[in-house]
DNA sequence: TCCCTAATTAGAATAATTCTAATCTATTGA
DNA sequence: TCAATAGATTAGAATTATTCTAATTAGGGA
């Protein structure tokens, strides 16, 4: 076992300026090997533990924030009590089921926001987020 | 001091099915005597203490949630770490400055959201929230 | 290889919120 | 009017979510 690790996750981390440590590689594998995902620190940590990766919850938080700063993830604000992270970093919006915390994407082209008023003097728009809160129909 | 309290705040609470207790009257006064406001539990508690109202932070949280359930307030989700409450309960949207937590309203008519995709099968739309994240222009 | 430096990890501390036991208040009946 | 009862309310304690920082680990040059 001499060669440097050089799989996709490792390369992705390297290019983001983050050392491909054991913990980060494992978390990146869970996050990026597959389709788009939405996670919280808690769900990702539980998943890591479930696959026998030894990593603390604090490290999961650190990694999620580092990945976000590096542009590999995007934070989604839909719940005042919990931070969600999305592996889809393209501009898009969300459906959110408050009852169970389920999140799903709406492609940017799927919603049109028009007639936005000018932002307050001295400020500029950074991003426009649309959250469609939905609930399961009773029955 | 015999007559029952019967000012505006008291009446508002009574109609919401909430006892007009000393704590609730004081908080309602701070919230509703004036124009529209945005508060967090922390800012409202600080304000109450500043006006010599003895009330615990937990009670402020309770009151904010009770007022929200009664339709006197509306929760605004713009920050994953902190709950904001808005005295403007009409349908509308928000500008949010992440750096300092400043919130301001955008009248419902000020934004148009069109071409919304149908929500996932078995669900119905409860509310559509638009958050325009802005930042102070550097300088 | 060893040392130096800087990045990284995770236990401890903090911040935000909720829970629940104790307290208070309104109402009823005597 | 007064006491007893039931239900609502308050706030200290507990929990949950997140961040901080000291100790550890790892990379790169001599």
């Amino acid at each position: 076992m001499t060669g440097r690790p050089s799989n996709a996750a490792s390369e992705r981390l390297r290019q983001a300026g983050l050392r491909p440590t054991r913990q980060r590689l494992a978390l990146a594998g869970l996050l990026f090997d597959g389709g788009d995902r939405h996670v919280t620190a808690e769900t990702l940590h539980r998943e890591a533990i479930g696959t026998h990766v030894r990593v603390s919850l604090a490290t999961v938080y650190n990694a999620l924030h580092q990945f976000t700063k590096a542009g590999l993830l995007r934070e989604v604000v839909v719940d005042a009590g919990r931070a969600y992270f999305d592996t889809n970093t393209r501009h898009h919006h969300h459906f959110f089921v408050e009852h169970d915390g389920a999140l799903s994407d709406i492609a940017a082209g799927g919603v049109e926001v028009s007639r936005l008023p000018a932002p307050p003097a001295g400020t500029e728009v950074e991003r426009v987020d649309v959250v469609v809160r939905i609930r399961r129909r009773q029955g």
Side-chain angles (χ1 to χ4, degrees), chain A:
Chain A
M1 218 107 65
T2 51
R4 62 181 116 60
S6 61
N7 51 41
S10 179
E11 202 43 45
R12 200 193 279 255
L13 290 177
R14 230 182 266 285
Q15 289 185 1
L18 296 168
R19 281 196 204 161
T21 61
R22 177 177 62 77
Q23 290 89 340
R24 284 187 188 141
L25 281 170
L27 296 174
L30 293 172
L31 288 169
F32 306 118
D33 290 356
D36 290 335
R37 306 199 52 192
H38 300 100
V39 302
T40 65
E42 185 61 34
T43 63
L44 184 59
H45 182 240
R46 209 183 295 282
E47 198 176 334
I49 296 301
T51 53
H52 307 293
V53 173
R54 290 184 57 254
V55 60
S56 74
L57 182 57
T59 296
V60 174
Y61 272 100
N62 289 338
L64 287 172
H65 286 133
Q66 291 153 352
F67 290 2
T68 299
K69 183 141 52 137
L72 303 177
L73 289 177
R74 172 152 141 23
E75 188 177 347
V76 183
V77 179
V78 287
D79 183 327
R82 197 178 304 257
Y84 284 78
F85 294 86
D86 192 340
T87 59
N88 178 357
T89 58
R90 280 157 279 147
H91 175 51
H92 67 286
H93 304 291
H94 295 91
F95 282 120
F96 181 59
V97 184
E98 302 208 34
H99 178 66
D100 59 10
L103 253 188
S104 56
D105 286 357
I106 303 176
V111 180
E112 185 174 14
V113 179
S114 48
R115 283 201 301 123
L116 204 62
T123 70
E124 59 192 2
V125 174
E126 191 175 316
R127 202 167 91 183
V128 178
D129 289 335
V130 177
V131 176
V132 181
R133 291 172 193 280
I134 59 182
R135 64 178 153 229
R136 301 200 185 292
R137 227 182 270 117
Q138 71 284 16

